[in-house]
Amino acid sequence: MNEKFKEILKQVNPEILDSEGLDLVEEGIIDSLQVMQIVAGVEDAFGFDFDPEDILPENFSSVEAIWNLVQKN
């Protein structure tokens, strides 16, 4: 996981990186607006567009799940 990715998450919500073991969506750490902020930030920083079919709660349930989605693109 690279620092640029971590910085995007920290800008959206500093609690994200301290939430290991918690489901970010189910625990209310991030909401749908913050998911879209992460999507926009990652797309801008890494120069690709997410497949709309990949923007599902389970793909944003943890830092690792989000990073796996980034690496897939």
Side-chain angles (χ1 to χ4, degrees):
M1 193 172 319
N2 75 26
E3 292 303 314
K4 185 173 19 176
F5 173 71
K6 289 180 183 178
E7 189 57 36
I8 293 165
L9 296 181
K10 194 175 359 175
Q11 287 176 3
V12 171
N13 183 340
E15 292 180 37
I16 294 173
L17 295 175
D18 297 327
S19 302
E20 188 173 328
L22 298 175
D23 186 305
L24 299 173
V25 177
E26 283 188 19
E27 296 292 327
I29 297 164
I30 60 173
D31 59 22
S32 58
L33 177 60
Q34 290 170 317
V35 167
M36 296 315 297
Q37 290 172 328
I38 293 168
V39 167
V42 168
E43 287 179 341
D44 287 345
F46 292 92
F48 68 86
D49 291 333
F50 282 104
D51 185 337
E53 294 176 2
D54 287 334
I55 302 175
L56 302 169
E58 56 265 23
N59 288 333
F60 292 85
S61 63
S62 68
V63 173
E64 293 78 19
I66 302 168
W67 180 243
N68 288 339
L69 186 59
V70 171
Q71 289 183 306
K72 177 180 158 183
N73 286 286

